[in-house]
Amino acid sequence: MIDLAVSLLAFGIMARLWPCNPGQPRFVTPEFVDNALYSLFGILIYGDLATLYIRAGVGVLFQHDAPRAMAAVLAGYGPVGHLPVVAQAIAILLGLDFVQYWLHRLFHGRALWPFHAIHHSAEVLDWSTTYRIHPVNYVIYGAGALALIRVFGFSPAAFAIIAPFNLVIGPLVHANVNWTFGPFRYVLVSPVYHRWHHSKNLAARDRNFAPTFPIWDLMFGTYYMPRGVLPDDYGVDGVPSHFLGQLAYPFRVCGERLGLWPKTTPGEAAA
């Protein structure tokens, strides 16, 4: 929890110096407790879920020599594992971002949107929103994407190199700061760029899917970054405002769609 405390102070100061939305609380938002619970929930429950995925797959494919195959995957193997470690780190960043771009688009489709709507339900968007992820969303989008990239045989050292970057980029792009990165706006996702993705404006919300590199949005026609305008209205209608209700919400929506019980919450989030 030390990283949460450090982030609370650092991003609070940044929000005071360079606010995107000056009316927001600078340090503790109304949704901070729920976001912290999601972070704690992840630490206690998820563990190294990507490794469990890999172990299960290896067990099915290499039943007679699973321990050796598993050790090779985790240690790095094949041509990819012999590349310079910096080249591997760059390949991991690009590959993981590409996979997550498409998974992110999938979560904006009707079937998976109720799970992803929890992340978008934050009405006071700040750095802590990055942890506001429903378990099903994490299981597929986070751990699933990482497991897919790891099976290519990258060295553990390459993952260690990018770990600090990944630790910072998520909170940064959600932070309440007005940074657009100027001429580098096409190179790296900025806070303003990602805040548009959280906008209630549907024309903006179904854009800017790339977690880190806008190149994917540029390539596939989902780039949205109007000049001289800042986003200022966030959230999703219909999602409960408390942690336990949010955990149950997607399953309730799915039950309503399947006709298991009457629909009680018509609205944008269940659409």
Side-chain angles (χ1 to χ4, degrees):
M1 300 301 286
I2 294 177
D3 59 329
L4 286 179
V6 172
S7 297
L8 180 65
L9 179 62
F11 287 111
I13 293 173
M14 291 165 60
R16 178 181 177 85
L17 296 175
W18 307 285
C20 179
N21 306 121
Q24 281 192 197
R26 296 183 183 118
F27 291 95
V28 179
T29 70
E31 294 155 341
F32 178 79
V33 172
D34 281 347
N35 296 342
L37 285 173
Y38 278 107
S39 177
L40 181 62
F41 193 79
I43 293 172
L44 296 177
I45 302 299
Y46 302 143
D48 189 1
L49 192 57
T51 297
L52 294 180
Y53 286 164
I54 296 170
R55 192 178 301 278
V58 166
V60 171
L61 296 174
F62 303 95
Q63 297 181 21
H64 302 296
D65 201 11
R68 181 179 299 180
M70 186 67 188
V73 171
L74 296 183
Y77 66 95
V80 172
H82 291 92
L83 291 172
V85 70
V86 174
Q88 291 187 54
I90 294 172
I92 291 170
L93 284 174
L94 290 171
L96 188 60
D97 210 58
F98 179 77
V99 171
Q100 289 185 323
Y101 169 86
W102 286 106
L103 287 176
H104 197 171
R105 290 189 65 166
L106 188 64
F107 268 100
H108 275 248
R110 187 175 186 272
L112 292 176
W113 171 248
F115 297 97
H116 191 56
I118 305 305
H119 182 63
H120 279 262
S121 67
E123 296 182 350
V124 185
L125 187 66
D126 80 334
W127 65 273
S128 68
T129 307
T130 192
Y131 304 108
R132 190 186 188 90
I133 301 176
H134 192 278
V136 172
N137 196 152
Y138 177 83
V139 164
I140 299 173
Y141 178 84
L146 180 58
L148 179 62
I149 295 300
R150 285 176 66 179
V151 298
F152 280 91
F154 293 103
S155 166
F159 287 98
I161 288 176
I162 67 172
F165 175 80
N166 287 336
L167 190 65
V168 171
I169 191 66
L172 176 61
V173 300
H174 290 89
N176 180 27
V177 292
N178 61 5
W179 297 353
T180 64
F181 294 163
F184 297 100
R185 68 180 64 214
Y186 302 113
V187 178
L188 194 65
V189 166
S190 69
V192 170
Y193 184 83
H194 192 70
R195 290 175 84 81
W196 276 116
H197 178 72
H198 279 263
S199 171
K200 278 188 174 181
N201 180 354
L202 296 183
R205 192 181 73 187
D206 288 333
R207 299 289 187 273
N208 298 1
F209 294 107
T212 307
F213 303 112
I215 181 64
W216 314 124
D217 288 302
L218 289 166
M219 287 176 62
F220 301 113
T222 52
Y223 184 93
Y224 185 87
M225 188 69 162
R227 290 181 179 270
V229 184
L230 294 176
D232 62 359
D233 189 18
Y234 314 103
V236 175
D237 295 332
V239 176
S241 60
H242 51 89
F243 178 73
L244 293 179
Q246 292 163 11
L247 290 180
Y249 169 79
F251 301 106
R252 177 162 53 83
V253 171
C254 292
E256 291 170 355
R257 289 177 177 174
L258 294 173
L260 300 179
W261 53 78
K263 187 174 182 178
T264 58
T265 57
E268 176 194 359

